[in-house]
Amino acid sequence: MNETAIPVTETLAPPGTLWSRMKSDPQYAPEHLALEAVRRLGPEAARWAERCRVNNPGITCDALAELAVKRFTTLARISGSASGASGLPGAVLDVGVLAWTQSRMVLHVAAAYGHDPVAPERATELLMLQRVHKAAEPARVALGVAAGRDRASRLFTETTARPLTGVMLKLAVRLRHMAGVRAARRAWVHSAATRDLAVRSRLWFRTA
């Protein structure tokens, strides 16, 4: 099988603009991440799935999804380990990279099963599959709130100063919830959480 590799790009970690939004609005960090993932990572997933199908006629959806799962489970195992950061900032960076990697996996799995990875509903499904929200309607409402806050922040530059430690703690909690990890950084924890998400994602997009 050729031309199935997923390229390593600059999107391995969340972009700086996303980190800024999440730090300014930590309560809705998962929603900001989901929206940005669909915008930035969805097109990559679509191109990958299309290229694989062109170069490998007859490849099954399950085979494509398995390629994505293997690739991103490996990346999840090493996510954050090379950042060099320690303490609370390191923990936040670690779990943020993991949540971003997991979102990338989900979008590639969606593309493998023929779902448009850039469609708005992918953000809703990301939040449900990552168990940030239990149902679609609360997820949509939260995404709408996050998008509205982002638009407002672009209009009004004044922000209320908040203790950085408190912001980082809240951000760490929200991102850990999204990534499905509760312990400190451990490769096996990252892999296990990502494998669990992969199982849910494959079942969801296979039967959706």
Side-chain angles (χ1 to χ4, degrees), residues 87-140:
L88 182 56
V92 173
L93 177 61
D94 181 63
V95 77
V97 171
L98 176 60
W100 187 250
T101 300
Q102 290 179 343
S103 298
R104 197 176 172 205
M105 178 188 71
V106 172
L107 293 173
H108 278 72
V109 169
Y113 284 106
H115 299 272
D116 184 2
V118 302
E121 57 264 32
R122 296 294 87 81
T124 300
E125 292 165 337
L126 273 173
L127 295 176
M128 292 171 60
L129 289 166
Q130 291 176 297
R131 294 177 172 171
V132 177
H133 296 285
K134 295 181 179 179
E137 189 55 31
R140 293 190 190 102

Side-chain angles (χ1 to χ4, degrees), residues 74-85 90 93-95 97-98 185-187 190:
T74 298
L75 287 178
R77 189 169 61 250
I78 61 175
S79 66
S81 61
S83 69
L93 177 61
D94 181 63
V95 77
V97 171
L98 176 60
R185 59 176 74 180
R186 293 288 187 275
H190 288 193

